């Protein structure tokens, strides 16, 4: 169980729910909080949880926060390297809840420091899964999944870790599961952000709508659980009650179920190997309940196919895919490109990419930045052309 924690992405959806859990548990100390630019919320978090360190990616926002907290016993770091300062504390666990490829270097640094990782930043494993898992093994740093699906798999595998045949990775299907294909071209930002089951940050909500998120999770599962990608099956499950399942070699399937509440997997990562009463409600089996499953529609969700392709290539291609997704989603949210063009931006960026293995973590970080620029340029051209 974590005793002292640093939270990267404390003002985002996972970060705020993690602080709900910490508030509920009452016995975990917060060493550091890191955020992007939401200094109003970060200020309140600092005052309540008294971390020694705060990190703010936006430099001007950091200066404003320093002025607001003048005389308060917290050291405030800013800029690109500020996440690393939040990692280098007395914390025994780091919750990696930043969005996109920006969390890659800090996750690796935390592992190199021998800290356990509560991992919600799936892009770290999508980009550099082999390097990160090898480093974690070498440094004896535990990686505890926070995503509801990977937490479910982690719990199911514990029953018979050496007898796994297949992982069944569930997906809600997002808000457009049943939307006619010819209507997807006109999807608005507001409708794409209206997830039917989960309350999440904007980036991951759009990734859920395109199912890029599930492609990322498919790659992440391969690295987390050391299983061939051919033995990971995606099943669309609109109710979001079965969070994932594992089939064993004797044909038995064990599934983990619960209400769609991220505070449950967050708490399990923080208290592992123990369980404690949580803030979440319970499933009511005295009421009628239907659970349905179906295969994903590859023609509707092109991003899934891109993830399958990336996994077969050198790491540079998966890194480019993740960075391009960052840029494409940002462009969509900013009204520059249409919903269906998200996959196009990612695919064109991947096509531009030479397959290679980046040199060390710095190589991955630099290539992710370059791929982001390439994707942003592609999105800008699409925006101007109106195609």
């Amino acid at each position: 169980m974590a005793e002292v924690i640093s939270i990267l992405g404390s003002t985002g959806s996972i970060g705020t729910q993690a602080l709900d859990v910490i508030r509920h548990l009452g016995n975990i100390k917060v060493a550091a909080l890191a955020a992007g630019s939401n200094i109003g919320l970060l200020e309140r978090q600092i005052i309540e949880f008294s971390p020694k360190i705060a990190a703010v990616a936006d430099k001007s926002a950091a200066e404003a926060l320093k002025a607001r907290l003048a005389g308060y016993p917290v050291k405030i770091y800013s800029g690109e390297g500020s996440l690393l300062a939040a990692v280098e504390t007395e914390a025994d666990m780091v919750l990696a809840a930043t969005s996109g490829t920006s969390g890659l270097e800090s996750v690796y640094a935390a592992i190199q420091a021998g800290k356990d990782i509560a991992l919600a930043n799936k892009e770290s494993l999508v980009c550099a899964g082999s390097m990160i898992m090898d480093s974690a093994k070498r440094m004896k740093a535990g990686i505890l999944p926070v995503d509801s699906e990977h937490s479910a798999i982690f719990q199911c595998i514990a029953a018979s870790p050496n007898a796994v045949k297949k992982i069944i990775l569930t997906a809600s299907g997002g808000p457009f599961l049943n939307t006619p294909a010819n209507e997807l071209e006109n999807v608005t930002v507001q409708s794409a952000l209206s997830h039917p089951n989960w309350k999440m940050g904007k980036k991951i909500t759009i990734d859920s709508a395109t199912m890029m998120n599930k492609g990322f999770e498919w790659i992440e599962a391969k690295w987390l659980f050391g299983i061939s990608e051919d033995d990971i099956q995606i099943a669309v499950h609109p109710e979001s009650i079965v969070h994932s399942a594992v089939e064993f070699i004797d044909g038995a399937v064990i599934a983990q179920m619960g209400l769609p509440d991220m505070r449950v997997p967050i708490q399990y990562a923080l208290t592992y190997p123990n369980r404690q009463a949580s803030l979440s409600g319970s499933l009511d089996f005295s009421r009628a309940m239907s659970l349905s499953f179906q295969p994903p529609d590859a023609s509707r969700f092109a991003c899934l196919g891109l993830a399958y392709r990336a996994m077969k290539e050198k790491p540079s291609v998966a890194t480019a895919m993740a960075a391009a997704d960052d840029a494409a989603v940002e462009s969509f949210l900013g009204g520059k490109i249409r919903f269906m063009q998200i996959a196009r931006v990612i695919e064109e960026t991947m096509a531009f990419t030479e397959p290679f293995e980046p040199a060390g973590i710095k190589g991955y970080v630099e290539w992710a930045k370059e791929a982001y620029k390439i994707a942003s340029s592609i999105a800008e051209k699409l925006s101007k052309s109106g195609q």
Side-chain angles (χ1 to χ4, degrees):
M1 178 172 175
E3 294 182 0
V4 185
I5 192 168
S6 291
I7 300 178
L8 312 182
S10 69
T11 59
S13 175
I14 296 294
T16 53
Q17 290 180 87
L19 289 171
D20 283 345
V21 169
I22 289 169
R23 193 181 289 115
H24 165 69
L25 293 173
N27 57 356
I28 297 176
K29 180 182 175 183
V30 177
L33 295 172
S37 59
N38 188 351
I39 60 167
L41 178 54
L42 182 59
E43 178 185 12
R44 296 193 295 274
Q45 291 175 345
I46 290 169
I47 291 170
E48 178 177 1
F49 293 96
S50 301
K52 293 180 180 178
I53 289 173
V56 185
D58 185 279
K59 290 184 178 181
S60 60
E63 290 304 313
L65 183 63
K66 287 178 184 178
R68 291 165 70 158
L69 291 174
Y72 200 84
V74 60
K75 190 164 186 179
I76 299 172
Y77 292 83
S78 65
E80 211 170 76
S82 61
L83 283 179
L84 299 181
V87 165
E88 296 165 0
T89 66
E90 76 274 22
D92 52 70
M93 176 177 279
V94 173
L95 170 60
T98 53
S99 175
T101 55
S102 62
L104 175 57
E105 192 171 14
S106 55
V107 167
Y108 186 78
I111 290 171
Q112 288 296 98
K115 300 180 188 296
D116 289 337
I117 309 294
L119 186 65
N121 177 259
K122 56 183 67 65
E123 288 86 352
S124 300
L125 291 183
V126 170
C127 293
S130 180
M131 177 181 291
I132 285 176
M133 295 307 295
D134 287 348
S135 178
K137 184 176 181 180
R138 186 173 64 253
M139 299 304 299
K140 298 181 179 179
I143 297 184
L144 298 160
V146 167
D147 279 335
S148 62
E149 296 86 354
H150 298 93
S151 177
I153 295 163
F154 181 71
Q155 294 174 60
C156 293
I157 281 180
S160 298
N162 298 317
V164 175
K165 179 181 179 182
K166 183 191 297 181
I167 285 173
I168 298 95
L169 184 67
T170 56
S172 71
F176 306 127
L177 178 61
N178 299 309
T179 302
N182 62 353
E183 294 181 14
L184 291 176
E185 280 289 343
N186 301 315
V187 160
T188 66
V189 170
Q190 184 177 359
S191 61
L193 288 172
S194 301
H195 197 283
N197 300 332
W198 296 94
K199 292 181 180 179
M200 305 178 290
K202 290 184 178 180
K203 168 65 164 55
I204 192 172
T205 303
I206 300 302
D207 283 347
S208 178
T210 63
M211 282 195 77
M212 185 81 263
N213 186 52
K214 204 54 52 178
F216 286 166
E217 289 178 0
W218 178 74
I219 297 173
E220 184 182 11
K222 169 190 166 62
W223 295 118
L224 274 175
F225 305 112
I227 189 169
S228 168
E229 60 268 23
D230 296 329
D231 295 324
I232 305 170
Q233 177 183 348
I234 295 175
V236 175
H237 170 54
E239 296 82 6
S240 296
I241 295 298
V242 174
H243 297 301
S244 277
V246 173
E247 179 183 350
F248 296 94
I249 55 176
D250 60 357
V253 176
I254 294 180
Q256 190 264 339
M257 303 169 66
L259 295 174
D261 186 338
M262 280 304 302
R263 294 175 300 179
V264 175
I266 291 169
Q267 180 169 305
Y268 188 67
L270 269 54
T271 62
Y272 178 81
N274 303 315
R275 291 185 185 270
Q276 297 188 30
S278 78
L279 292 163
S280 179
S282 301
L283 288 173
D284 186 354
F285 286 93
S286 68
R287 295 186 177 184
M289 185 191 319
S290 296
L291 304 178
S292 60
F293 303 88
Q294 64 190 68
D297 183 348
S299 64
R300 177 185 298 270
F301 299 111
C303 287
L304 266 182
L306 297 177
Y308 296 155
R309 281 167 46 188
M311 192 64 249
K312 304 292 184 182
E313 295 278 2
K314 292 284 188 181
S316 62
V317 179
T319 303
M321 175 186 67
D325 182 63
D326 286 349
V329 171
E330 184 178 301
S331 295
F332 171 67
L333 289 171
K336 292 184 177 181
I337 63 173
R338 299 189 301 275
F339 179 75
M340 294 298 284
Q341 290 177 319
I342 293 173
R344 182 174 171 182
V345 170
I346 298 168
E347 184 171 23
E348 290 189 18
T349 305
M350 290 170 64
F352 185 88
T353 301
E354 289 291 332
F356 68 95
E357 188 157 347
I361 197 66
K362 293 290 185 182
Y364 280 96
V365 171
E366 290 307 312
W367 170 234
K369 290 178 182 177
E370 182 63 26
Y372 178 90
K373 290 178 183 177
I374 293 167
S376 296
S377 176
I378 293 169
E380 192 66 32
K381 288 178 182 177
L382 287 174
S383 176
K384 289 179 179 178
S385 70
Q387 295 179 354

